[in-house]
Amino acid sequence: MRFNRMLLSTTLVVVALVIQVSVLARLQLPGAVPDLLLLVVLGLAFVYGHMAGAFIGFGAGLLADLAPPADHAAGRYALVLCVIGYLAGLVRPDNGQIKSATGPMVVVVGAAIGSTLLYAGVGALVGDTAARHVGLGSLLFTAVVYDLLLAPFTVPLIMALARRAENDPLSESPSGGGGDVASRWLSSGTGLRIGTQRRGGLRVKAARTRAARAGRIKGVKRL
């Protein structure tokens, strides 16, 4: 990924993690905890695509696994967000721009359900049965409700920031977009041909003018 992608993604993930651990997790809401980190991964995957979404999801999940007061095996949530980021990137809108809110909201619902089920499934494999005591149905319902309430305020903002950073002309390398435009312009030859044709036309006109003047001078001398 480009430097601006890495910088923006890291900043958003760290901020979301701090808010989720220090604020959202302390609200003592019934059922699941609002997953701001999941929404950040979805918003970035909608713009950057499936590969970047998988890398961002893995990094964000790994930070969540290591950040206190995490009480589960490291790598568990990293696997969940990696899969979610990859799948979200596969269904990203054209050019990373939302034309309708229906599609992204459906993806948010699917991501909330999928992440909860995948997290519980991985936990069952490693012997973590906490989801059974809380109730899987309650976790699924509250996760969908909380994420749907947060999504309109977070996902469009994250996508707008990602698109703005992606289109930042200062982040483009000299051999990047500018070089491609120049190579296409030179290969088409449009600008150069127009210039040479104009210069050639001016030279022909100047030569004709000088010849005409020389003919007139010779005619006058003969007379």
Side-chain angles (χ1 to χ4, degrees):
M1 292 186 297
R2 299 176 183 176
F3 176 75
N4 56 340
R5 286 189 181 186
M6 297 177 61
L7 180 61
L8 177 65
S9 301
T10 303
T11 302
L12 291 177
V13 166
V14 171
V15 171
L17 181 61
V18 170
I19 294 176
Q20 183 165 326
V21 172
S22 61
V23 178
L24 298 180
R26 299 175 181 270
L27 295 179
Q28 301 296 327
L29 297 174
V33 176
D35 201 340
L36 183 60
L37 205 59
L38 173 66
L39 298 178
V40 170
V41 173
L42 291 178
L44 294 175
F46 283 155
V47 178
Y48 295 149
H50 60 283
M51 293 303 297
F55 281 111
I56 295 171
F58 179 81
L62 188 60
L63 286 178
D65 289 332
L66 300 177
D71 56 353
H72 54 269
R76 181 176 171 185
Y77 200 48
L79 174 62
V80 173
L81 288 188
C82 180
V83 174
I84 296 298
Y86 181 85
L87 295 178
L90 291 177
V91 296
R92 72 185 183 113
D94 295 336
N95 299 325
Q97 296 182 355
I98 297 178
K99 298 181 180 179
S100 175
T102 303
M105 296 304 284
V106 171
V107 175
V108 169
V109 173
I113 296 175
S115 62
T116 304
L117 291 176
L118 186 57
Y119 187 82
V122 175
L125 292 177
V126 298
D128 186 358
T129 60
R132 297 180 181 179
H133 302 289
V134 178
L136 186 58
S138 175
L139 285 177
L140 289 174
F141 177 76
T142 52
V144 170
V145 171
Y146 296 153
D147 291 348
L148 280 178
L149 291 177
L150 281 178
F153 304 100
T154 55
V155 176
L157 177 61
I158 293 168
M159 294 182 65
L161 292 175
R163 287 197 303 267
R164 184 173 182 179
E166 190 73 2
N167 297 327
D168 187 0
L170 295 179
S171 65
E172 297 293 335
S173 60
S175 59
D180 293 337
V181 173
S183 62
R184 289 195 299 268
W185 184 37
L186 291 175
S187 62
S188 64
T190 304
L192 292 179
R193 287 178 183 174
I194 292 175
T196 53
Q197 287 176 359
R198 289 181 177 177
R199 287 193 294 268
L202 293 176
R203 291 174 181 174
V204 171
K205 289 181 180 179
R208 290 178 180 176
T209 302
R210 287 195 297 268
R213 290 179 179 176
R216 292 174 185 173
I217 292 173
K218 291 180 180 179
V220 172
K221 290 181 177 180
R222 289 177 182 177
L223 293 175

